[in-house]
């Protein structure tokens, strides 16, 4: 298999992953919005590609319009991939790394995906966090809990991207941190950026100023929490399970 064929195969697998998740989701509009947000593509850009009104995409995402069928979902997924390719393919290449790599890193304590997103303010409240830098708030579709020391020592920048699971709109919760600098450096060198960073075990005043500065550059909300890690995981999972039953 040539490199072009391999790349095409990985892209097809990514398209299948995206389309399958949207189609099978209990809330396909939310899932569609999540992927569009992941690729940082506007409703207007998708609408222009598909030659429809932006209100059509908005109605699908909000649930005002009947859930899109498989054909329409495929077209929307293809528009996301094509637009990203026109922009250099950074998002596709980052996801291809996830697909082609074995996710066996001991750096990951826990990763969890939400069907219905949690808002940043609610997450901060649940984990009794202190907001160090507010950044740009995005709905969070999951969280990953990462052993900071292992991640920094063991993972390359490409392997680091595996920690995102299947949505960049997630909270990256780093444990075993001393100043917060190393996790932010690792995030700076990757193409994918999380929806929020939580430094577990640190007080607000213990976070190094340069870590805050890097959060500001990428406009990523930065939070400190001294709550026990097991309690954080339990509370965030319980929140998701409660809302999934609503």
């Amino acid at each position: 298999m040539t490199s072009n064929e391999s790349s095409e195969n990985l892209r097809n697998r990514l398209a299948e992953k995206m389309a399958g998740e949207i189609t099978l989701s209990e809330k396909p509009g939310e899932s569609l919005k999540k992927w569009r947000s992941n690729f940082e593509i506007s409703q207007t850009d998708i609408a222009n590609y598909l030659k429809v009104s932006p209100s059509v995409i908005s109605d699908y995402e909000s649930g005002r319009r009947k859930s899109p069928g498989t054909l329409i979902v495929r077209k929307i997924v293809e528009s996301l991939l094509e637009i990203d390719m026109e922009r250099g393919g950074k998002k596709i290449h980052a996801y291809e790394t996830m697909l082609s790599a074995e996710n066996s890193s001991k750096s990951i304590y826990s990763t969890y995906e939400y069907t219905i997103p949690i808002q940043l303010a609610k997450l901060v409240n649940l984990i009794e966090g202190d907001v160090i830098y507010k950044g740009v708030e995005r709905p969070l579709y999951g969280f990953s809990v990462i052993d900071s020391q292992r991640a920094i020592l063991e993972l390359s920048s490409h392997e680091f991207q595996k920690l995102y699971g299947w949505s960049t709109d997630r909270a990256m919760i780093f444990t075993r941190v001393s100043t917060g600098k190393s996790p932010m450096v690792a995030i700076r060198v990757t193409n994918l950026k999380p929806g929020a960073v939580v430094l577990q075990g640190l007080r607000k005043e213990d976070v190094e100023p340069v870590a805050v500065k890097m959060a500001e550059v990428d406009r990523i909300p930065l939070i400190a929490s001294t709550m026990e890690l097991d309690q954080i995981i339990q509370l965030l999972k319980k929140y998701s399970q409660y809302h999934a039953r609503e």
Side-chain angles (χ1 to χ4, degrees), residues 10-18 81 92 95 99 166:
L10 286 169
R11 176 174 162 172
N12 289 339
R13 286 173 59 196
L14 176 57
E16 289 174 4
K17 162 72 180 178
M18 295 166 64
L81 297 176
I92 290 176
Y95 281 118
L99 283 169
W166 285 103

Side-chain angles (χ1 to χ4, degrees), residues 1-12 93 96:
M1 183 181 291
T2 66
S3 60
N4 286 339
E5 289 173 336
S6 177
S7 179
E8 185 65 24
N9 181 49
L10 286 169
R11 176 174 162 172
N12 289 339
H93 295 324
E96 285 176 350

